[in-house]
């Protein structure tokens, strides 16, 4: 595939002025990738100025949530080069999410080219301080204007980007959600689709009123096993070893989760992927056997958990951030930012483009 570069791109890139404070995911790069699927095939993609979409109010995505997305980062590395972190994992996950919602897969080659193209043209926008990055958001929507409940026959694929500061979630207070679930058995919990997040918002709104930051979701069948947070996977350090819920079908398989499992092995930590009963974990924290808990995802990498709140009583973690979370976070960021060897071949270099 060759990507058509719109003639306005050069001017948009030249005219862009980043504000003093970037925040995370709030400043959008001035260009975006777009491709359209119609009559059973994808158009050639194009790099165009960033801007609002024209969308028919009857578009299926607006009614039936035929939409999935990805979240990934490009880093400016210490030698000045630009590196994408495991983009093929995001390509494959997006293909999985698309299939689950009866949407056409984005061919892996097109996904990777689109992400590389946006990264290349936005390279000069990538901030250089440790933890800063270009956050990339691929997005697929079904846009056929038709109110019948069936799969759309027209789709649009976008890649937008946001030059971002480090995502500081601080130490998180999480609340055990014992009533709602974010994902059903046999539902879409293991796909990165918009509906999962809509389903999580009520719980988060309620716990914020109680002074908490995030919901800790439990197994939808019996509300006994820990699953994850609304956009991050869960780990605990028990007796110096790492424990994380094994994939259940309703847990989203995070790229960060997968990377930490691999990395932990090389740092000498044993990792257990298993069913994690929430009440057992509370007891292990109470007795001091569980010394750390944290959430992980692309945005924050690792967010230490300070308190786990429950209707009956709440427990506090003794070390926030603890030594294991701190070591894992630095080890991963060192690979991403080029301070350490990349024994897994996770980083893919992107040559900056000049418009
Ligand atoms: C995106 C996401 C994660 C984290 O995935 P990463 O690939 O590590 O960013 C975890 N849980 C949910 C529900 C998510 O949407």
């Amino acid at each position: 595939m060759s990507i058509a570069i719109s003639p306005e791109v050069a001017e948009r890139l030249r005219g862009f002025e980043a504000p003093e404070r970037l925040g995370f995911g709030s400043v959008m790069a001035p260009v975006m990738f777009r491709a359209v699927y119609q009559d059973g095939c994808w158009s050639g993609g194009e790099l165009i100025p960033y801007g609002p979409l024209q969308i028919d109010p009857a578009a299926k995505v607006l009614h039936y949530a035929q939409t999935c997305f990805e979240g990934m980062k490009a880093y400016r590395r210490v030698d000045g080069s630009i590196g994408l972190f495991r983009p093929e994992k995001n390509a494959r996950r997006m293909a999985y999410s698309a299939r689950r919602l009866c949407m056409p897969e984005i061919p892996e080659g097109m996904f990777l080219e689109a992400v590389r193209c946006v990264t290349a043209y936005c390279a000069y926008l990538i901030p250089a301080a440790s933890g800063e990055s270009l956050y990339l958001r691929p997005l697929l929507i079904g846009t056929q204007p038709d109110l019948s409940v069936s799969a759309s026959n027209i789709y649009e694929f976008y890649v937008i980007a946001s030059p971002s500061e480090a995502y500081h979630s601080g130490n998180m207070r999480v609340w055990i959600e014992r009533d709602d679930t974010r994902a059903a058995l046999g539902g879409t919990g293991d796909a990165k689709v918009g509906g999962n997040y809509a389903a999580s918002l009520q719980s988060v709104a309620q716990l914020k009123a109680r002074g908490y930051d995030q919901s800790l979701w439990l197994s939808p069948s019996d509300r006994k096993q820990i699953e994850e947070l609304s956009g991050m996977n869960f780990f605990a350090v028990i007796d110096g070893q790492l424990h994380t819920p094994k994939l259940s079908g309703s847990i989203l398989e995070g790229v960060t989760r997968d990377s930490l499992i691999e990395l932990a092995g090389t740092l000498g930590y044993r990792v257990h992927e298993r069913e994690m009963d929430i009440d057992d974990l509370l007891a292990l924290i109470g007795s001091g056997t569980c010394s750390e808990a944290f959430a992980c995802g692309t945005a924050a990498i690792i967010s230490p958990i300070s308190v786990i709140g429950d209707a009956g009583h709440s427990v506090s973690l003794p070390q926030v951030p603890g030594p294991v979370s701190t070591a894992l976070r630095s080890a991963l960021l060192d690979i991403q930012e080029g301070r350490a060897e990349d024994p897994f071949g996770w980083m893919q270099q992107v040559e900056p483009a000049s418009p």
Side-chain angles (χ1 to χ4, degrees):
M1 186 183 71
S2 62
I3 297 172
I5 310 296
S6 148
E8 293 158 80
V9 158
E11 192 190 317
R12 286 297 189 100
L13 288 169
R14 266 199 307 275
F16 181 76
E17 275 179 46
E20 185 88 7
R21 295 304 310 264
L22 289 170
F24 190 92
S26 28
V27 174
M28 296 302 155
V31 296
M32 63 184 182
F33 174 90
R34 173 177 191 265
V36 177
Y37 180 93
Q38 206 162 6
D39 302 324
C41 63
W42 283 103
S43 70
E46 46 182 353
L47 189 70
I48 57 176
Y50 181 90
L53 311 182
Q54 264 230 328
I55 190 166
D56 193 293
K60 298 220 191 210
V61 58
L62 301 178
H63 303 265
Y64 310 127
Q66 245 195 331
T67 172
C68 62
F69 68 94
E70 271 305 322
M72 53 203 294
K73 281 177 174 174
Y75 291 90
R76 183 179 298 286
R77 317 182 76 218
V78 289
D79 65 0
S81 68
I82 306 296
L84 279 164
F85 181 67
R86 308 189 79 182
E88 71 292 344
K89 294 284 279 183
N90 300 93
R92 284 173 208 151
R93 188 167 67 190
M94 191 154 199
Y96 175 82
S97 302
R99 279 201 302 279
R100 181 63 182 81
L101 295 191
C102 244
M103 306 167 89
E105 281 179 29
I106 293 144
E108 188 167 321
M110 176 168 117
F111 180 99
L112 294 175
E113 260 197 77
V115 164
R116 295 180 74 89
C117 177
V118 172
T119 303
Y121 279 88
C122 295
Y124 77 105
L125 292 174
I126 306 181
S130 181
E132 300 185 327
S133 65
L134 185 70
Y135 181 69
L136 293 145
R137 184 49 84 89
L139 169 72
L140 176 62
I141 54 176
T143 51
Q144 180 190 2
D146 182 322
L147 296 178
S148 62
V149 183
S150 61
S152 174
N153 59 15
I154 308 172
Y155 294 88
E156 295 175 27
F157 172 52
Y158 293 92
V159 179
I160 60 174
S162 171
S164 292
E165 290 169 15
Y167 185 96
H168 286 299
S169 52
N171 298 331
M172 279 196 308
R173 297 165 56 89
V174 305
W175 179 266
I176 304 169
E177 177 55 71
R178 293 196 183 260
D179 299 315
D180 287 2
T181 59
R182 68 174 278 281
L185 265 184
T188 56
D190 62 351
K192 218 166 172 72
V193 308
N196 295 342
Y197 305 88
S200 74
L201 298 178
Q202 169 178 283
S203 167
V204 176
Q206 288 168 352
L207 66 86
K208 287 227 156 120
R210 288 189 218 113
Y212 284 81
D213 304 305
Q214 283 281 321
S215 309
L216 183 59
W217 299 100
L218 303 178
S219 45
S221 55
D222 55 9
R223 317 281 200 286
K224 282 187 171 27
Q225 313 299 330
I226 299 171
E227 293 232 306
E228 59 172 323
L229 287 82
S230 302
M232 284 185 274
N233 294 113
F234 179 85
F235 280 83
V237 180
I238 300 171
D239 266 336
Q241 304 187 347
L242 283 159
H243 295 251
T244 190
K246 74 169 190 217
L247 300 174
S248 64
S250 42
I251 293 177
L252 195 286
E253 184 175 357
V255 179
T256 316
R257 172 186 182 277
D258 183 81
S259 308
L260 290 177
I261 290 173
E262 282 202 54
L263 198 53
T266 67
L267 296 180
Y269 299 109
R270 278 199 64 188
V271 186
H272 307 266
E273 292 181 68
R274 61 171 178 93
E275 286 194 340
M276 292 181 73
D277 183 283
I278 182 61
D279 295 314
D280 289 351
L281 184 81
L282 293 176
L284 290 171
I285 296 172
S287 70
T289 313
C290 172
S291 54
E292 297 176 43
F294 62 86
C296 70
T298 295
I301 306 181
I302 284 182
S303 298
I305 293 171
S306 57
V307 175
I308 299 185
D310 197 4
H313 68 294
S314 300
V315 295
S316 297
L317 277 301
Q319 300 168 292
V320 191
V324 181
S325 347
T326 305
L328 284 170
R329 183 177 192 281
S330 323
L332 185 52
L333 201 56
D334 283 349
I335 293 175
Q336 291 169 326
E337 297 185 334
R339 281 181 299 272
E341 286 293 301
D342 174 18
F344 309 99
W346 283 340
M347 299 307 295
Q348 287 190 17
Q349 191 164 325
V350 176
E351 287 307 321
S354 43

